[in-house]
Amino acid sequence: MTRLPEKAARPTMYFVGVTTGSSSIMKVFPVWAKELGLDAVIKGIDMPIHAPAEEYRRVVEFIRDDPLSLGALVTTHKIDMYNAASDLFDYLDPYAQRFGELSSISKKDGKLCAHAKDPISSGLALDSFVPKDHWIKTGAQACVLGAGGSALSISAYLGNEERHGADVPSRIHLDNRSAPRLAEAVRVLEYLNVPMSYHMCKEPILNDKIVESLPAGSLVINATGLGKDRPGSPLTDACQFPENGIVWELNYRGSLEFLHQAEAQRAGKNLTIEDGWTYFIHGWTQVIAEVFHIDITGDRLAACDRIAREMR
């Protein structure tokens, strides 16, 4: 059974995850709070992956009913928590409803609110390392390994023609081990006009075949969670990344096998490699801004970025 914290004695934000104690945020948040003028603390709530529905409901009810528990960032459990407890919220933002997930819990005007911040934070991260007009110039494709909440948010951002115009991948591949999640991905992303391919890949060698079929300049993303809370990679060590490709490992901590596989080919394939650190910065500042009802952009965001990188 998930162990809930004691009733909060001062304004508190929670981190709902699997192994929260090893996250950099536990050291970074107190320094950020001082910089942002917040009198608040952070506490972790660790839950097993795919915990029973009643456990997710207990966590949401605890935050809802405790006056000084102001909200939470949710990772790993975003879809499961939405499925188990969405009815407990007074407000679900449009992204949460579309993607069937929640990554932010907050309170406003007496209402319990849920937001899905991944479509915003993943877009901010992508814009920081994918060159402008990259897709127009290269005709490259994107391969998203995994079909969880982050994977769907990233796919939706990459294929957003209203935002990017013609500067979108020529095709987006979505690989996953289970058919139900792929079926959900088809339902959620059916509005995109960018050509989509969905692949059920139960073994890493099947992911290898998709990645090795990509044209030069393509983007390959590990959105499976493997290499963070669970060891492993969605690819085998033999997989060859595309020439001049961009490789994004969403994790920034853990065994990071996928990241190391890319690093081994960096020089030979002229790869651009990103880990999940920028995603971490945007993901946390977006939720902190929601929980404490403050603006974290411009100089404030730059200060948070600088502080976190100095402490990394």
Side-chain angles (χ1 to χ4, degrees):
M1 181 174 291
T2 300
R3 184 177 180 180
L4 296 176
E6 297 290 330
K7 185 176 180 180
R10 57 187 294 201
T12 302
M13 177 177 176
Y14 298 94
F15 176 20
V16 182
V18 179
T19 53
T20 60
S22 57
S23 174
S24 295
I25 197 62
M26 306 313 264
K27 294 180 179 179
V28 171
F29 182 87
V31 186
W32 275 0
K34 184 177 180 180
E35 173 70 25
L36 297 170
L38 300 175
D39 176 24
V41 297
I42 190 168
K43 293 182 180 179
I45 299 177
D46 288 347
M47 306 181 70
I49 296 173
H50 303 313
E54 58 267 24
E55 296 294 287
Y56 292 113
R57 295 183 70 85
R58 286 177 64 239
V59 170
V60 173
E61 289 167 345
F62 168 78
I63 296 172
R64 179 194 66 190
D65 297 338
D66 184 28
L68 290 179
S69 293
L70 303 185
L73 179 142
V74 181
T75 185
T76 305
H77 307 287
K78 291 175 286 192
I79 294 172
D80 288 328
M81 183 167 281
Y82 180 92
N83 290 337
S86 60
D87 62 299
L88 297 176
F89 291 89
D90 302 299
Y91 173 77
L92 296 163
D93 87 332
Y95 283 136
Q97 295 181 58
R98 166 168 280 180
F99 294 106
E101 65 165 67
L102 62 92
S103 59
S104 169
I105 299 173
S106 59
K107 298 175 180 179
K108 186 175 183 181
D109 300 329
K111 294 182 178 181
L112 187 68
C113 305
H115 292 79
K117 293 295 186 180
D118 274 352
I120 300 171
S121 53
S122 63
L124 291 168
L126 280 164
D127 287 348
S128 73
F129 62 83
V130 177
K132 183 176 174 55
D133 297 331
H134 174 75
W135 308 108
I136 293 175
K137 293 176 179 177
T138 65
Q141 301 178 10
C143 179
V144 184
L145 302 169
S150 297
L152 302 195
S153 296
I154 290 167
S155 299
Y157 184 81
L158 285 170
N160 188 341
E161 291 180 310
E162 289 185 8
R163 181 184 182 91
H164 305 301
D167 191 29
V168 295
S170 59
R171 179 171 294 275
I172 298 175
H173 300 267
L174 201 68
D175 297 9
N176 198 58
R177 293 185 298 179
S178 70
R181 280 306 308 164
L182 278 178
E184 179 67 4
V186 173
R187 183 191 69 79
V188 171
L189 300 174
E190 64 180 356
Y191 70 96
L192 295 177
N193 291 322
V194 172
M196 299 288 300
S197 294
Y198 300 89
H199 311 276
M200 189 167 73
C201 300
K202 292 187 175 182
E203 301 295 335
I205 193 170
L206 298 176
N207 289 322
D208 288 2
K209 292 181 179 180
I210 306 301
V211 170
E212 291 180 345
S213 73
L214 299 172
S218 291
L219 170 66
V220 184
I221 303 170
N222 177 25
T224 66
L226 286 174
K228 181 186 175 186
D229 298 315
R230 296 170 292 161
S233 168
L235 303 177
T236 73
D237 288 341
C239 182
Q240 296 297 301
F241 288 93
E243 296 282 347
N244 304 317
I246 303 173
V247 181
W248 189 17
E249 164 65 88
L250 292 196
N251 303 318
Y252 74 91
R253 64 179 175 92
S255 49
L256 301 176
E257 287 90 342
F258 176 87
L259 183 71
H260 299 321
Q261 289 169 334
E263 288 173 338
Q265 298 179 41
R266 185 198 299 267
K269 294 294 183 70
N270 190 34
L271 300 178
T272 298
I273 302 174
E274 284 287 323
D275 69 4
W277 187 254
T278 301
Y279 193 32
F280 166 85
I281 299 293
H282 287 299
W284 272 100
T285 53
Q286 285 283 324
V287 176
I288 290 171
E290 197 72 56
V291 169
F292 294 101
H293 308 294
I294 59 174
D295 177 71
I296 308 180
T297 57
D299 291 343
R300 276 185 163 182
L301 177 61
C304 289
D305 187 15
R306 173 184 53 78
I307 289 167
R309 291 184 188 280
E310 288 174 353
M311 296 181 68
R312 187 175 185 184

